[in-house]
Every structure is written in C-alpha cells, then in structure tokens.
Amino acid sequence: MAASLLPPPDPQFVLRGTQSAVHALHFFGGAQGQGRPLLLSGSLSGLVHIWSLQTRRAVATLDGHGGQCVTWLQTLPQGHRLLSQGRDLKLRLWDLAEGRNAIVDSVPLESMGFCRSSVLAGGQERWMLAMPGRGNDEVQILEMPSKTSVCTLKPEADAKPGMPMCLELWQADSSPRPLLLAGYEDGSVALWDVSERKVCSRVACHTEPVMGFDFDSQKARGVSGSAEKALAVWSLDEQQALQVCRTHELTNPGIADVKIRPDRKILATAGWDHRVRVFHWWTMKPLAVLSFHSATVHCVAFATDGLLAAGSGDQRISIWSLYPIRSDASTPSLGHAEGREVGTQTLA
C-alpha cells in the first residue's frame, strides 16, 4: 500500500529578474556529466535571459525581438546555437559559443498567431524547421540554414481546422521520412507526412484550440491541453492512425503548456489557474499540484537530469526537484522531493 501523501514541497529555488511575464523556457546542456544545465527564458518584454542554476543569476541577456514577446526557444544540437521566436514576426538564430551572444541569422514569420515552431536535426549542419505559414491554416517547412522551402502544408479543402497552434517535427525509428504533428484551432491534432505533403490522420481531441502538446515517440503516444477542463491522451498506431485513448478531467480550465520528462516517467502541465500539475505519464495518475505562482503559468520545461522549471505571468521562474531520476537504480523511484516524502510508488 502507498503511504499517505504529504503536500508537495516548496520550489528548490526561484529565479527573479525577468521584469515581465515569462512565456518560454528551455534547458540547455547538463547531460552526460557536464554539470548543471543552463536555463533559457523568454519574456513578454522581448528579452531572452540565460540563467546559471549554480549562481541562480542571469549570466546574459539577449535583446533581439524589439520589445515583443518571446514565445519559443530551442537550442540546436550542432554547436552552441539558439533559436528564438517572437511576436515581432522574427525567428532569430543566435551564436552562444564562447560568450558571443550574437544574432547570426533571421527568418521572417508571416503569421501573427501564437503557434510555436519546431526543429528536426539532420546530418552535419542541416536541419528542418516547421513554422506557421502565410495562409491562416498553413505550416511552412524550410531546410536550414539555407532557408530553402521544402513545402507548404495546407489542409485539404473540406477540412477547416483553423490556425495551427503547436507543432512537432519528428522521425519514426523505422523510417527516415520526416513527420509533423500539428495541433489546431478547432481542437484537432493531425499527423502530416512532410515528404508526401499529406495528412496521414487527424483526430478531434478538444472542443477548444490545442494550446500545447508533447509526444513520446518511443511509446507513440501524446498528450495535449486546451482551454477546456481536460487533458487528452492519444496514440499513433502502425498504420499512422491517430486515436484518442482517454481524457483526464481537470479541476480548472486552461492548459498553456504540456511537457513529458525526458525519461518518459512523468509529465507536467502549465495552468491558467496559476498551478503546475504533475502526472504519472503511463497511468495519468495525479502526483502533485504545485501552487507557488500567483498568475498564469505559461510554460514548463524539464532538464535531462529531471529538474522542472515553470514560468509565470508573475515574472518568476520556479525550479523544482520532484521524483529525481536515480542513476543508481534500473527503475527510477517516485518518492522524494526536496527531502520530503510525496509518494512511495515506483514508476514503471
């Protein structure tokens, strides 16, 4: 029998100094014994802060979006390079090597929507970029860094999904063909075959726009949130057909972001109700409700070592160590969070 659960702990620490709401988070580095990762944050005021988790201070500030909100951050695996997306209709490519912090390229965006872009790393220096397209319902695919247009993905004439809201490029282990998952304004999620420029499958997940999703390619299973009071868990079969497996009812409406931890044991959601909720990924059992923030939580991110970061409209970033990934055991345990017992289950 599981022990009775105690309230979750306070954050391990809190980062302050963004001076505006935090809308994007991304961990950089920290894998394979490299020490603690850096944390990148994007703010409503258009700034990107690079945080040291050792000193708990910003070590650099990047100003490349003309005071317009930064909505997405992603580092590239080849070298110290960062992509930032802003509401100024610009995607900026930064060189972060050796403290340079310089813009080395820029890609114009043609959509004022809230859709975050996605990248798929390729061989050598090449990579693929998916971003909202010129048309209201289009997704543009570019080969980078040449900015060569690969294709424009436009829904079939009889489908009216509205604007794309979130994107994820990926490749199945069994095929080199790039695939794109897209969440849309009508609450549906679609799987695109980029090479064929066609929708393989589409499934209705929500009655409101998909605000965020994450996809576990090993389990061929994803989870999405919207403005409504439910998470949708969906899967992809061997025929590339999407289907909703289950929905999980929430206490309050509004999910701004969803992230699965890299070890695929737990997931976290960013809530309009100021709370971060943590679930067991396979069973969707609720594990913790983190109620530190005093405004909407816009984004969450996991580091490779299991650290969880949450960014909020209250201009703070909370850092949590929940259910740490154990390197001394074959199966990570679900037990301690900052020295306090939260549960005694084992993550299977």
Side-chain angles (χ1 to χ4, degrees):
M1 295 290 291
S4 58
L5 304 183
L6 294 178
D10 293 330
Q12 190 177 68
F13 55 89
V14 179
L15 302 175
R16 297 175 174 87
T18 62
Q19 300 180 331
S20 66
V22 180
H23 280 259
L25 290 169
H26 179 69
F27 282 101
F28 173 48
Q32 289 84 44
Q34 297 173 7
R36 298 201 94 171
L38 296 171
L39 178 64
L40 308 171
S41 69
S43 69
L44 180 65
S45 63
L47 300 179
V48 175
H49 290 87
I50 304 177
W51 301 89
S52 165
L53 301 187
Q54 293 177 313
T55 65
R56 304 177 187 180
R57 295 180 181 275
V59 297
T61 302
L62 313 180
D63 185 359
H65 290 284
Q68 298 295 306
C69 182
V70 177
T71 59
W72 177 70
L73 297 166
Q74 178 67 51
T75 49
L76 298 174
Q78 307 96 336
H80 290 63
R81 292 188 292 170
L82 166 69
L83 275 169
S84 64
Q85 179 178 339
R87 296 278 288 166
D88 60 340
L89 299 181
K90 294 288 191 300
L91 268 169
R92 302 293 197 187
L93 179 63
W94 302 81
D95 179 6
L96 304 183
E98 301 173 358
R100 282 194 281 272
N101 303 334
I103 296 173
V104 293
D105 207 349
S106 184
V107 180
L109 292 164
E110 298 185 84
S111 169
M112 276 294 291
F114 294 92
C115 183
R116 299 167 178 170
S117 300
S118 177
V119 296
L120 179 65
Q124 291 89 35
E125 294 294 308
R126 291 165 53 189
W127 41 283
M128 186 173 284
L129 171 68
M131 62 183 193
R134 178 180 300 175
N136 191 47
D137 56 359
E138 294 178 354
V139 177
Q140 181 74 32
I141 308 292
L142 299 180
E143 183 182 279
M144 297 292 290
S146 67
K147 305 181 193 175
T148 304
S149 177
V150 176
C151 63
T152 298
L153 304 178
K154 184 174 176 61
E156 53 275 21
D158 58 339
K160 299 187 184 302
M163 294 186 296
M165 303 295 293
C166 38
L167 306 170
E168 184 163 343
L169 281 166
W170 63 288
Q171 281 176 308
D173 292 338
S174 58
S175 171
R177 297 169 72 90
L179 301 169
L180 175 77
L181 283 161
Y184 285 92
E185 190 178 7
D186 70 347
S188 67
V189 173
L191 175 70
W192 288 86
D193 184 317
V194 174
S195 301
E196 296 288 335
R197 307 182 189 184
K198 69 175 184 179
V199 173
C200 303
S201 177
R202 185 188 302 275
V203 64
C205 297
H206 305 276
T207 58
E208 298 283 346
V210 180
M211 302 303 295
F213 69 57
D214 203 0
F215 182 65
D216 178 348
S217 60
Q218 291 197 15
K219 291 186 172 76
R221 193 166 176 259
V223 57
S224 54
S226 74
E228 60 191 9
K229 292 174 59 175
L231 294 172
V233 179
W234 32 272
S235 64
L236 184 64
D237 65 20
E238 294 180 355
Q239 285 71 48
Q240 296 187 326
L242 288 164
Q243 57 186 354
V244 175
C245 305
R246 59 179 295 181
T247 58
H248 180 86
E249 293 297 316
L250 300 169
T251 305
N252 298 310
I255 294 296
D257 197 13
V258 183
K259 286 291 187 298
I260 301 167
R261 199 165 73 175
D263 68 346
R264 301 178 303 282
K265 300 297 183 182
I266 64 176
L267 68 94
T269 63
W272 294 0
D273 64 356
H274 313 172
R275 292 168 173 81
V276 175
R277 286 179 165 79
V278 182
F279 299 86
H280 187 291
W281 172 216
W282 192 245
T283 65
M284 290 302 292
K285 180 176 182 177
L287 300 176
V289 179
L290 310 178
S291 54
F292 169 78
H293 288 284
S294 59
T296 294
V297 181
H298 293 293
C299 49
V300 287
F302 281 108
T304 53
D305 64 2
L307 277 181
L308 169 65
S312 169
D314 65 11
Q315 305 182 16
R316 297 181 293 177
I317 302 168
S318 57
I319 307 295
W320 307 81
S321 179
L322 300 172
Y323 314 122
I325 300 172
R326 290 186 178 177
S327 59
D328 60 346
S330 58
T331 303
S333 73
L334 202 169
H336 294 277
E338 283 305 285
R340 293 172 57 183
E341 191 78 8
V342 178
T344 59
Q345 309 97 306
T346 297
L347 287 170

